[in-house]
Amino acid sequence: MQTVLTKIALAASLAVALAACGTVGQDFTAPANVAGIDNAAFRHGASAADAAQLPKQWWSIYGDATLNRLEQSALQDNPGVKAAGERLLQALAQSGTARANQGPSVNLSTGISNSRTSANTSQGLALGNRSISGNNFSVGGSLSYEVDLLGRVKRMVEAADSQALAAQADRDGVLLMLSAQVASNYWQLRGLDAEMAILNGALDTRRESAQLVEARFNAGLTNELDLARAKVELSNAQADLHEVKRQRNQLENSLATLTGKPPSALQLPVAADPSALPLPPGIPVGLPASLLAHRPDLVSSVASLRAANAQVGVAEGAFYPSLQLTGNFGYASEKLRDLAQGGSRQFSFGPLALSLPIFDGGRNQANLDLSKARYAEAVANHETKLLTALREVEDALSDVEQRQLQGDAQALSQAAAARAYLVARTRYERGISTYLDVTDAQRSSLAADRAAAQIKTQRLLATVAVARSLGAGWQPDGELAKLASAPAAKVR
């Protein structure tokens, strides 16, 4: 027994010495940023700070209690969030499976059998035409362990851990996208509330105008054409109001789905003052180089790169020897009462099997080439995602800037259109002009009012787009934070 233990100790020492020789593959370094973004600023926004500063619950910057409630409900009950959480659990389980390969596999077994050999075989004839029969009781354990000579198993674990980190970042990305969708749909709905208020006001004005024209027609002061025009404008405003209500119903149904509820379970009342849309909040932008640490999709991309890099090491490990250690120890006896006696002891050590690939028809080289090509593809995809992220921020900032200028211009148009309608109606009432002038002025005033409400809505949607493109207050933690803050290096 002492000799066996000595052999095991020697084998373990040999395995540790071999494992310390090195690790296959190269350690991961973060990819370099796209040229020119490290010190550059966004073209359409002031970059006074190194990073955007948004709260974790970023939607609270709007100060809307209904939006806050919808966001919390969506993050808690949306089925997509639950599915993303389950994908993360799957990735963690796969990581646990890979980690299990780093340790030995130990099994315990017991058995009971009854057997009888033939008396007419060569063995039975040698025993004088006798057969061997009886019971066999056994209990024992077995051990199997792959010695990680050059870190192949270590690279497998690294790849699995990186995939789990990518799944975690993807889960956070789902939460970010969901919160942005809820905010966008909500502000679109409130914008339609404002348009409904404008159309209801226009309906009241058109009813009064129709009554005025009808009274003048009955008094012989105008013609039937003016009366028909007044009725047409009244009907058009009613039709526009029904269209806005239809769009609002669809947005309400969409919000119900996003919050994990059936459409019939969510009914949002029209805002108490629908015409008073809030001013868009200011959002600090930061520098383009800070995007990597604030967008979960980019951190997920880096984690996927790390996994692809580790897979290259796994493929390289196939060219080197592998060492497998096996052994078992237990007791076996014909009689159960003799099972624990020293004479029933049985054990084996080995084989300590060392295998080295000699010829495989180029399979290992092809696998290595495949892993390297996948890593190069992942690098290119990461660069594409980074450029896309920069474009999204620039687009959103441009929208904020231009929508503000558009709103200023539209306010002048709105005031001029309201004045034109007042003048046209006064001239008609005095008999100076025809009702056609009033109709044209009504249309222009209504269009200007609705355009102003739509621009206010678009300004709010632009701020949502800015927040989403900047990561909307997301902050990585743990290993994700290390990935996000890892120093960039040239891609090999």
Side-chain angles (χ1 to χ4, degrees):
M1 183 66 181
Q2 186 175 3
T3 303
V4 174
L5 293 176
T6 303
K7 291 180 179 179
I8 294 177
L10 289 174
S13 301
L14 176 62
V16 171
L18 290 172
C21 293
T23 302
V24 289
Q26 298 186 28
D27 292 336
F28 176 72
T29 55
N33 286 330
V34 176
I37 77 164
D38 290 330
N39 299 316
F42 289 110
R43 186 159 59 98
H44 295 286
S47 299
D50 291 336
Q53 300 294 326
L54 283 172
K56 185 175 182 180
Q57 296 183 343
W58 65 271
W59 53 87
S60 62
I61 63 177
Y62 296 100
D64 191 292
T66 302
L67 175 60
N68 295 342
R69 176 174 56 83
L70 290 172
E71 292 283 6
Q72 294 294 342
S73 179
L75 296 179
Q76 180 178 352
D77 299 327
N78 183 273
V81 172
K82 298 176 182 178
E86 294 301 324
R87 288 193 294 271
L88 174 57
L89 292 178
Q90 294 172 31
L92 291 174
Q94 290 173 347
S95 175
T97 301
R99 285 184 175 278
N101 293 328
Q102 290 183 305
S105 175
V106 180
N107 298 306
L108 179 66
S109 63
T110 60
I112 302 175
S113 65
N114 180 274
S115 63
R116 179 185 184 278
T117 62
S118 172
N120 296 321
T121 63
S122 58
Q123 182 181 9
L125 293 175
L127 295 174
N129 291 334
R130 295 174 56 189
S131 63
I132 301 175
S133 62
N135 297 322
N136 287 300
F137 298 91
S138 64
V139 59
S142 61
L143 177 144
S144 177
Y145 176 57
E146 179 182 354
V147 181
D148 195 14
L149 291 178
L150 296 173
R152 185 184 69 88
V153 177
K154 175 185 175 182
R155 292 300 185 195
M156 292 176 62
V157 173
E158 181 183 354
D161 287 346
S162 299
Q163 289 167 352
L165 290 175
Q168 181 181 346
D170 289 341
R171 188 273 314 270
D172 294 344
V174 170
L175 297 177
L176 187 154
M177 185 62 66
L178 175 63
S179 64
Q181 288 177 333
V182 171
S184 294
N185 284 6
Y186 178 77
W187 290 125
Q188 289 181 66
L189 184 142
R190 289 309 181 206
L192 291 177
D193 285 350
E195 287 195 62
M196 286 172 56
I198 293 170
L199 286 169
N200 283 323
L203 275 175
D204 295 338
T205 301
R206 279 158 175 69
R207 289 192 186 97
E208 293 176 1
S209 297
Q211 292 171 0
L212 173 63
V213 174
E214 186 173 7
R216 290 174 61 86
F217 174 73
N218 293 334
L221 299 176
T222 189
N223 55 52
E224 187 177 358
L225 180 58
D226 287 347
L227 179 61
R229 284 173 176 162
K231 292 181 178 179
V232 167
E233 292 304 311
L234 177 61
S235 298
N236 285 342
Q238 290 174 334
D240 288 344
L241 181 60
H242 289 307
E243 171 61 18
V244 170
K245 287 182 178 179
R246 181 191 68 81
Q247 295 177 14
R248 188 185 190 278
N249 290 337
Q250 289 185 342
L251 286 171
E252 197 172 51
N253 293 339
S254 178
L255 282 171
T257 302
L258 291 174
T259 55
K261 299 180 179 62
S264 59
L266 180 66
Q267 293 184 355
L268 294 176
V270 177
D273 187 8
S275 61
L277 287 171
L279 291 175
I283 298 177
V285 177
L287 296 173
S290 68
L291 271 185
L292 183 61
H294 291 85
R295 284 185 54 131
D297 58 334
L298 295 181
V299 175
S300 172
S301 179
V302 174
S304 298
L305 272 175
R306 182 181 175 186
N309 178 77
Q311 289 294 349
V312 174
V314 174
E316 289 181 0
F319 289 90
Y320 299 101
S322 63
L323 184 63
Q324 189 76 24
L325 173 64
T326 59
N328 64 73
F329 180 85
Y331 295 85
S333 173
E334 180 184 8
K335 296 180 180 180
L336 183 60
R337 65 174 179 270
D338 298 331
L339 186 61
Q341 294 182 1
S344 301
R345 185 178 70 251
Q346 61 180 10
F347 60 86
S348 68
F349 173 73
L352 182 62
L354 183 69
S355 63
L356 176 66
I358 301 299
F359 177 75
D360 61 0
R363 182 183 298 106
N364 288 339
Q365 184 61 49
N367 287 333
L368 179 60
D369 293 341
L370 176 62
S371 299
K372 289 182 176 180
R374 285 175 174 170
Y375 177 77
E377 179 188 6
V379 171
N381 288 337
H382 176 73
E383 293 177 353
T384 299
K385 291 178 181 178
L386 182 55
L387 289 172
T388 300
L390 293 170
R391 178 187 59 79
E392 289 176 351
V393 177
E394 291 286 8
D395 287 347
L397 292 176
S398 176
D399 280 351
V400 169
E401 182 180 66
Q402 296 303 317
R403 292 295 184 187
Q404 181 177 357
L405 297 175
Q406 187 180 11
D408 295 340
Q410 187 61 38
L412 298 176
S413 173
Q414 189 179 10
R419 177 63 181 171
Y421 169 67
L422 181 61
V423 172
R425 179 165 177 168
T426 302
R427 287 171 59 85
Y428 173 73
E429 291 173 351
R430 293 178 181 179
I432 301 175
S433 62
T434 65
Y435 193 72
L436 180 59
D437 294 338
V438 178
T439 301
D440 289 341
Q442 278 183 335
R443 291 175 182 172
S444 297
S445 181
L446 178 60
D449 289 343
R450 293 185 66 183
Q454 291 169 1
I455 291 172
K456 289 181 180 178
T457 303
Q458 291 300 321
R459 290 183 66 185
L460 289 167
L461 295 180
T463 59
V464 173
V466 170
R468 184 195 62 78
S469 63
L470 293 173
W474 180 75
Q475 292 290 338
D477 57 0
E479 290 296 323
L480 284 178
K482 294 180 182 178
L483 276 179
S485 60
K490 291 184 179 180
V491 179
R492 70 171 190 270

